[in-house]
Amino acid sequence: MATMTILVADDDKEIRDGIEIYLKNEGYRVLKAADGREALELLKTEEVHLLILDIMMPNMDGITATFKIREAQNVPIIMLSAKVEESDKIHGLSVGADDYVSKPFQPMELMARVKSQLRRYVQLGTYDGGTTLSVGGLVLDEEAKTVTLDGIPIKLTPIEFKITELLMKHPGRVFSINEIYERVWKEEAYNAENIVAVHIRKIREKIETDPKNPSYVKVVWGVGYKIEK
């Protein structure tokens, strides 16, 4: 496989350079930006396979950058945020980020998240002998990695696709939050409630006529989520 390129955007030069060292030690090519605006400019000319974006940056913050990136690309995005910015973390996930890591962080934790996101990104782009899943007017093509609703294409992020695929493979079955997290993220669930809930909300906003009264993705209070048969 060709070398993966990762774009790191953070206004703190020491953090950018530190992340770069660890990424290069793992064999990745690294691009760096001091803010969201620089990151968007690099995306115009470079093929990037994953972004690491700090939330708090001048000129253009990570949340705004994520929103603009998601208008055109589904590349995985990991957000960096201070622990006091819990609401920003949730906001970042709601506009399309795939994961977040709190500052200060252990470099090995960040590297593990990077590998996990890239593994899913590659899997979503390869043929796996998949089939077509359908529930009502919702159709998911495992081979083409596409989702349509009543024939209209629905753009899902890689994480949203994997969650939808999991639920559609087992219509009527209730999955707990921890089970969804562990099956999709491929790691032990820890404080997964907010992460999964935000992605479920985004899926509903894209596939439900009325997200507040969903026809497809249902919550079973105190248990988890399912997709109706």
Side-chain angles (χ1 to χ4, degrees):
M1 181 183 297
T3 301
M4 293 285 195
T5 298
I6 298 176
L7 172 54
V8 180
D10 196 303
D11 59 325
D12 188 321
K13 185 177 185 301
E14 289 188 7
I15 291 179
R16 288 199 308 271
D17 292 346
I19 293 174
E20 178 185 29
I21 290 170
Y22 282 94
L23 289 172
K24 285 189 171 181
N25 285 341
E26 295 289 341
Y28 301 115
R29 174 174 174 254
V30 181
L31 303 173
K32 295 184 291 183
D35 56 51
R37 190 168 296 162
E38 286 187 16
L40 290 178
E41 287 301 313
L42 283 168
L43 283 173
K44 293 178 181 178
T45 59
E46 298 279 355
E47 181 181 7
V48 173
H49 302 96
L50 181 142
L51 292 96
I52 299 173
L53 299 179
D54 185 34
I55 286 182
M56 301 297 292
M57 293 186 290
N59 299 320
M60 182 184 292
D61 61 40
I63 290 174
T64 302
T66 296
F67 182 79
K68 290 182 176 296
I69 291 165
R70 282 290 175 254
E71 291 177 346
Q73 298 187 37
N74 282 334
V75 59
I77 298 173
I78 298 175
M79 305 210 84
L80 302 179
S81 66
K83 289 184 178 180
V84 297
E85 298 165 347
E86 184 68 25
S87 61
D88 285 338
K89 295 175 186 176
I90 302 305
H91 191 189
L93 291 170
S94 71
V95 298
D98 297 286
D99 203 354
Y100 66 77
V101 175
S102 296
K103 294 180 177 179
F105 55 83
Q106 292 295 325
M108 290 300 98
E109 178 192 359
L110 179 59
M111 294 305 103
R113 300 292 184 94
V114 166
K115 292 176 183 178
S116 178
Q117 291 295 331
L118 285 174
R119 186 164 55 245
R120 278 191 296 276
Y121 184 59
V122 170
Q123 289 172 347
L124 278 174
T126 57
Y127 172 74
D128 64 356
T131 58
T132 298
L133 307 173
S134 61
V135 176
L138 189 65
V139 177
L140 183 148
D141 190 320
E142 291 184 297
E143 179 182 336
K145 306 302 180 187
T146 59
V147 175
T148 59
L149 179 63
D150 297 327
I152 300 172
I154 303 296
K155 183 182 288 187
L156 299 180
T157 69
I159 290 291
E160 291 164 1
F161 183 93
K162 295 297 284 186
I163 293 173
T164 304
E165 181 182 38
L166 172 65
L167 297 179
M168 289 186 70
K169 279 185 173 180
H170 307 278
R173 177 182 168 182
V174 181
F175 287 87
S176 70
I177 288 174
N178 285 351
E179 188 173 8
I180 291 172
Y181 187 91
E182 290 174 358
R183 284 184 175 232
V184 172
W185 275 262
K186 305 296 184 186
E187 60 189 39
E188 185 177 354
Y190 178 73
N191 290 335
E193 290 83 0
N194 284 338
I195 295 177
V196 172
V198 168
H199 286 295
I200 291 289
R201 188 174 76 238
K202 294 301 293 182
I203 292 169
R204 283 174 167 168
E205 289 173 355
K206 294 176 180 181
I207 70 171
E208 302 284 2
T209 302
D210 181 0
K212 293 183 179 180
N213 296 289
S215 300
Y216 292 104
V217 181
K218 302 273 193 176
V219 63
V220 179
W221 294 106
V223 183
Y225 296 98
K226 68 175 180 176
I227 200 159
E228 289 284 31
K229 293 183 179 180

